[in-house]
């Protein structure tokens, strides 16, 4: 795992299970950016050791919601899940109501925050 300087940007490079990974941190080639890059690499290394490494890299380099179709808010993800469960199964009216209630609570608590910004038990 190492950091390369590329003009105004920093490039993070590492390998995992025989595959090389990298991503650029634009406009971060300064003391604060270098410190942030070291922390990012430490987080990646921690996840690799713990078995939680995200091969999509979205956890380490999140994008703005909507700019990448692979990023979604927690509320939108649950609503898609609930819709699939309601449509795909013959659920009782009470179960359908509970899915809608959970979605409402998620909207209330999380709003439109992307999943990558929500604290998890292992992150």
């Amino acid at each position: 795992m190492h950091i390369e300087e590329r003009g105004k940007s920093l490039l993070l490079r590492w390998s995992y299970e025989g595959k090389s990974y990298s991503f650029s941190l634009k406009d971060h080639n300064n003391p604060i950016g270098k410190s942030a890059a070291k922390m990012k690499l430490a987080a990646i290394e921690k996840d690799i050791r713990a078995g939680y490494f995200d091969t999509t890299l979205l956890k380490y380099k999140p994008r703005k919601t909507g700019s990448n179709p692979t990023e979604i808010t927690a509320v939108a993800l649950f609503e898609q899940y609930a819709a699939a469960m309601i449509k795909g199964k013959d659920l009782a009216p009470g179960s359908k109501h509970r899915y809608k209630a959970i979605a409402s609570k998620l909207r209330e608590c999380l709003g439109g925050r992307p999943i990558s910004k929500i604290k998890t038990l292992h992150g």
Side-chain angles (χ1 to χ4, degrees), residues 39-56:
M39 289 173 38
K40 184 80 63 176
L41 279 180
I44 293 168
E45 185 174 19
K46 176 184 166 191
D47 282 356
I48 287 172
R49 289 183 180 179
Y52 295 119
F53 179 65
D54 176 11
T55 57
T56 68

Side-chain angles (χ1 to χ4, degrees), residues 30-102:
N30 57 49
I32 294 171
K34 288 177 184 177
S35 177
K38 288 177 185 175
M39 289 173 38
K40 184 80 63 176
L41 279 180
I44 293 168
E45 185 174 19
K46 176 184 166 191
D47 282 356
I48 287 172
R49 289 183 180 179
Y52 295 119
F53 179 65
D54 176 11
T55 57
T56 68
L57 305 183
L58 285 175
K59 179 177 181 182
Y60 315 108
K61 188 179 179 185
R63 295 182 172 93
K64 294 178 185 171
T65 304
S67 66
N68 182 341
T70 61
E71 186 163 318
I72 188 169
T73 66
V75 174
L77 179 62
F78 183 80
E79 286 173 342
Q80 288 178 10
Y81 169 78
M85 292 301 291
I86 290 169
K87 181 180 177 186
K89 299 185 180 200
D90 188 24
L91 296 178
S95 295
K96 293 176 184 180
H97 179 72
R98 282 189 284 282
Y99 276 119
K100 291 176 184 175
I102 292 169

